[in-house]
Amino acid sequence: MGKIVIVGSGPAGCSAALYAARAGMETTLISKGIGALQKAEQIQNYYGFEEGITGAELYRRGVAGAQAVGTQFVTAEVVGLDYAATLVVQTTAGDYPADAVILATGTGRIAPKIAGLAEHEGRGVSYCATCDAFFYRGKTAAVLGTGEYALHEVQALLPLAGKVILCTNGEPLTAEFPAGVTVCTEKLEAIEGEETVTALRLAGGGLLPADGLFVALGVAGSAALARKLGAPVENGRIVVDEKMQTGIPGLFAAGDCTGGMLQVCKAVYEGALAATEAIKQIRGKK
């Protein structure tokens, strides 16, 4: 029996779970609860509901359907994605190894409007401390964020970096950070540096020397998780092939995170396709 871990419990995630569990896979779905569907007061363009249905009710039915066929639901925040002997989904409730992972958490959060952020991606601005902490041995690394996701990045940096700065960008902390971390509460105005990052310019006019900035805002979305393994992401969407597979073997994506129409019908189709292809891949290895 193969192991498939799905991140996200919306239409794409629950659709993937239905196909994976019914195929005899050990299926685990990790989620913090309802997402974009919460905002849908009435859905009237989805097959089978002549009188329409609320987003919350469609979500409830989707989850119930996936549970009915044996999907294990875990309520936790996903903070990382790693690859050792197998793919591993890292969460606040522990690690979940998998033969295949399907990312289905919807669209990511909008990147903060900080001058120089996009220009310095790959040149001091990173989205994966597990991947890049090694390059900051003895250097000063900053993390942009306030919660569990940011804490995960900080913990990856602490054993290697000479100094770790947590930048809250004016937002309140939502997680407890180690005492050795310097906290900067001012808003960030710009990323400084010609070839690579050299400092962070604060809204008050001051400069905060730093050799790099790790972006870890809010909850890690599908695109941020994909980046952790080096899967291509373009304009905030995960690049997938016709089988919903990313550039990383065993890593699939489905739903809003792949771009295109942000519709339930597309998400359900892509979730089913991602699971079907993941199952084929797993069985091909046995």
Side-chain angles (χ1 to χ4, degrees):
M1 181 189 294
K3 291 184 178 180
I4 294 180
V5 174
I6 300 159
V7 183
S9 58
C14 284
S15 176
L18 279 169
Y19 280 76
R22 281 172 56 86
M25 297 288 120
E26 183 179 322
T27 306
T28 302
L29 192 152
I30 304 170
S31 169
K32 289 196 71 177
I34 190 170
L37 281 180
Q38 181 71 59
K39 300 176 182 178
E41 294 184 9
Q42 190 77 355
I43 298 172
Q44 293 182 316
N45 62 345
Y46 187 59
Y47 176 83
F49 295 94
E50 61 180 304
E51 296 180 358
I53 186 171
T54 66
E57 177 60 14
L58 187 62
Y59 174 82
R60 186 195 68 77
R61 294 190 190 188
V63 169
Q67 289 175 325
V69 295
T71 301
Q72 176 192 2
F73 275 72
V74 175
T75 301
E77 180 179 333
V78 175
V79 294
L81 190 60
D82 200 4
Y83 194 100
T86 184
L87 286 164
V88 178
V89 179
Q90 301 164 326
T91 83
T92 51
D95 292 350
Y96 291 84
D99 296 303
V101 173
I102 300 172
L103 300 176
T105 60
T107 54
R109 291 171 179 263
I110 299 173
K113 293 181 179 179
I114 299 173
L117 188 69
E119 292 82 352
H120 284 88
E121 281 191 18
R123 297 190 296 114
V125 169
S126 173
Y127 292 83
C128 180
T130 301
C131 312
D132 297 336
F134 179 81
F135 301 115
Y136 292 87
R137 290 169 297 165
K139 297 182 178 181
T140 298
V143 175
L144 177 60
T146 60
E148 294 289 345
Y149 180 25
L151 175 61
H152 178 268
E153 301 296 89
V154 163
Q155 290 171 332
L157 287 163
L158 279 174
L160 296 169
K163 182 178 182 180
V164 177
I165 303 169
L166 178 71
C167 296
T168 71
N169 204 30
E171 299 296 324
L173 292 177
T174 57
E176 187 173 339
F177 289 81
V181 176
T182 300
V183 178
C184 173
T185 59
E186 281 193 64
K187 283 186 173 292
L188 299 185
E189 187 173 280
I191 312 298
E192 301 283 348
E194 293 186 9
E195 294 300 320
T196 60
V197 173
T198 57
L200 309 177
R201 192 197 312 155
L202 304 176
L207 281 180
L208 190 64
D211 299 296
L213 176 68
F214 290 81
V215 181
L217 290 168
V219 177
S222 290
L225 293 171
R227 277 178 163 137
K228 290 184 179 298
L229 290 183
V233 175
E234 293 181 359
N235 299 319
R237 68 175 185 87
I238 301 174
V239 178
V240 293
D241 62 17
E242 69 280 0
K243 297 179 179 180
M244 308 312 299
Q245 181 165 294
T246 69
I248 307 299
L251 181 63
F252 298 79
D256 290 356
C257 64
T258 64
M261 290 181 67
L262 305 183
Q263 296 291 308
V264 174
C265 56
K266 170 185 174 289
V268 169
Y269 162 72
E270 289 189 350
L273 180 58
T276 300
E277 294 299 332
I279 292 161
K280 289 179 183 177
Q281 190 175 101
I282 291 169
R283 287 176 174 167
K285 292 180 181 178
K286 303 299 182 183

